[in-house]
Amino acid sequence: MTVKKLSPEELLGMNKFVVDEEEPHIVLDKAICAKCKEKPCLFVCPAVLYTKKDGEVNFDYAGCLECGTCRVVCKDKGIVKWTYPRGTMGVSFRYG
């Protein structure tokens, strides 16, 4: 029997995400983010959920691994709220 090693993308694809539309667990102050020159969040998020469009930093909640890396590297405090999602919301890790 041959066991196939899965890529990180395939492994992440097994996870289940329940997005809390009423109470987001990460909130950005886009005015602060606009002044940030380095924008490290665009590079460090392992799920690549931070994007820049028309000069504005955006965050996609679906797919968040809740690792906190973005909060750690945000030196200008553009992330004004970072908490774990409410119960039954967020990521459910699945193993294949």
Side-chain angles (χ1 to χ4, degrees), residues 49-69:
L49 299 178
Y50 287 88
T51 57
K52 185 177 173 186
K53 184 176 179 184
D54 299 327
E56 184 176 86
V57 174
N58 296 293
F59 176 71
D60 180 12
Y61 303 96
C64 181
L65 302 174
E66 302 164 21
C67 65
T69 304

Side-chain angles (χ1 to χ4, degrees), residues 3-42:
V3 177
K4 180 187 173 211
K5 183 176 180 180
L6 299 177
S7 70
E9 291 81 11
E10 292 170 315
L11 290 168
L12 287 172
M14 290 184 193
N15 296 332
K16 178 182 173 191
F17 300 94
V18 180
V19 178
D20 190 348
E21 299 287 342
E22 296 175 16
E23 191 175 318
H25 68 288
I26 295 176
V27 176
L28 306 178
D29 182 327
K30 294 190 179 203
I32 294 173
C33 294
K35 295 176 188 173
C36 176
K37 291 184 195 293
E38 292 86 17
K39 297 188 184 2
C41 57
L42 298 175

